[in-house]
């Protein structure tokens, strides 16, 4: 069985293929959040200054228990990552000119408006949960109060907001429920209220919404979450483009 994981900037995708007697079969399954966190942390640690880091990781587990890994630093991933993801990745993992493939050069420039794709946390200390740590996706009583208050404030500011409940896992792998606040910006914008962090996910393509609409929404969200919860945005997770959209400077 082979897990193929591809990541560029804040965006990741994966597929799982099993080799059976009938041939290759795609496995319709989600990999746990902890596994995604570990792979993201591994990509960070495998960055070599000037050389870059990998875009595709393949992990194969054989029937006899053997594990084989392959990390591809130089070939373009099959998944069509957005221009903003490539620009963010090039900023975070810069390469020397001689180590930059021709196909990558054209993908690594920031456009004026390329939508917004980011995943960032709010935590009590403004620092992200360490890579590989178990994330408890349980909304506490305090988190419930925050989610409702934030949703109401955003509605009062003129945003279309929906509240929902989703399923995840606690720190021991048991089923857990968490609150979500979703804001309609043309694409996807959600806040997930976990025990030790508020996870903010934005995925808006450039042709889905006007830049002014998205900019106003994300700035209102960032300000409201911090005012209501007292938790701080983990700004170190942001690239210069994301900081500019959020009004935080370069």
């Amino acid at each position: 069985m082979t897990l193929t994981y591809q990541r560029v900037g804040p965006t990741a995708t994966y597929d799982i293929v099993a080799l059976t007697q009938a041939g290759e079969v795609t496995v319709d399954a989600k990999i746990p959040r902890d596994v995604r966190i570990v792979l993201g942390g591994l990509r960070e640690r495998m960055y070599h200054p000037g050389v870059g880091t990998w875009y595709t990781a393949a992990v194969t587990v054989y029937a006899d228990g053997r594990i084989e890994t392959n990390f591809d630093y130089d070939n373009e991933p099959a998944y069509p990552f957005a221009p903003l993801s490539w620009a963010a990745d090039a900023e975070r993992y810069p390469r020397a000119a001689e180590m930059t493939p021709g196909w990558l050069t054209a993908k690594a420039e920031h456009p004026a408006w390329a939508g917004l794709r980011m995943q960032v946390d709010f935590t009590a200390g403004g620092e992200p949960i360490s890579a590989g740590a178990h994330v408890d996706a349980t909304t506490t009583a305090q988190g419930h109060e925050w989610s409702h208050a934030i949703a109401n404030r955003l509605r009062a500011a003129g945003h279309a907001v929906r509240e929902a409940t989703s399923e995840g896992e606690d720190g021991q792998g048991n089923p857990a429920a968490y609150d979500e606040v979703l804001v309609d910006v043309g694409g996807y914008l959600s806040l997930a209220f976990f025990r030790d962090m508020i996870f903010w996910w934005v995925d808006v393509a450039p042709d889905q919404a006007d830049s002014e609409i998205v900019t106003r929404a994300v700035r209102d969200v960032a300000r409201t979450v911090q005012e209501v919860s007292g938790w701080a945005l983990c700004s170190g997770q942001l690239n210069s483009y994301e900081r500019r959209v959020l009004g935080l400077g370069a």
Side-chain angles (χ1 to χ4, degrees):
M1 181 178 295
T2 298
L3 165 66
T4 301
Y5 176 89
Q6 298 179 325
R7 179 156 187 162
V8 173
T11 309
T13 184
Y14 65 88
D15 60 56
I16 304 172
V17 175
L19 183 60
T20 69
Q21 291 182 344
E24 291 188 350
V25 176
T26 299
V27 179
D28 184 13
K30 289 185 177 181
I31 59 174
R33 175 182 169 81
D34 287 350
V35 174
R36 299 196 299 272
I37 292 174
V38 167
L39 287 169
L42 184 63
R43 187 170 188 259
E44 180 89 20
R45 291 191 292 273
M46 290 179 72
Y47 168 68
H48 300 288
V51 177
T53 190
W54 50 267
Y55 300 113
T56 302
V59 181
T60 301
V61 180
Y62 294 95
D64 60 6
R66 288 180 299 118
I67 298 176
E68 181 179 287
T69 60
N70 180 269
F71 301 96
D72 191 340
Y73 283 67
D74 298 316
N75 293 303
E76 182 175 356
Y79 185 80
F81 291 98
L84 185 57
S85 294
W86 286 108
D89 203 80
E91 180 177 314
R92 188 168 184 84
Y93 305 112
R95 293 182 175 220
E98 63 272 17
M99 300 303 297
T100 304
W103 61 264
L104 179 57
T105 302
K107 292 180 177 290
E109 298 179 357
H110 275 305
W113 170 243
L116 185 61
R117 284 186 170 181
M118 68 178 188
Q119 297 178 12
V120 62
D121 305 328
F122 296 88
T123 63
E127 294 295 329
I129 304 297
S130 61
H134 291 290
V135 174
D136 186 346
T138 303
T139 299
T140 63
Q142 180 69 79
H144 283 302
E145 293 181 12
W146 289 346
S147 69
H148 295 316
I150 289 167
N152 288 334
R153 283 204 190 188
L154 291 173
R155 289 190 187 101
H159 298 287
V161 177
R162 180 169 60 89
E163 296 178 69
T165 302
S166 295
E167 295 182 355
E169 295 181 350
D170 66 12
Q172 287 71 48
N174 303 308
Y178 62 89
D179 288 359
E180 272 193 297
V181 171
L182 299 106
V183 182
D184 184 4
V185 289
Y188 183 78
L189 190 160
S190 76
L191 295 164
F193 293 79
F194 299 159
R195 182 176 297 278
D196 297 313
M197 72 177 185
I198 300 172
F199 177 62
W200 188 14
W201 185 3
V202 183
D203 190 349
V204 182
D207 59 351
Q208 287 182 305
D210 182 80
S211 62
E212 293 183 4
I213 293 174
V214 177
T215 298
R216 175 176 174 266
V218 296
R219 292 184 182 186
D220 284 352
V221 168
R223 180 177 61 254
T224 302
V225 171
Q226 292 177 102
E227 289 176 353
V228 170
S229 69
W231 286 3
L233 179 71
C234 299
S235 58
Q237 295 175 317
L238 303 170
N239 61 47
S240 62
Y241 176 86
E242 293 162 350
R243 294 180 64 85
R244 175 163 59 84
V245 174
L246 287 167
L248 302 177

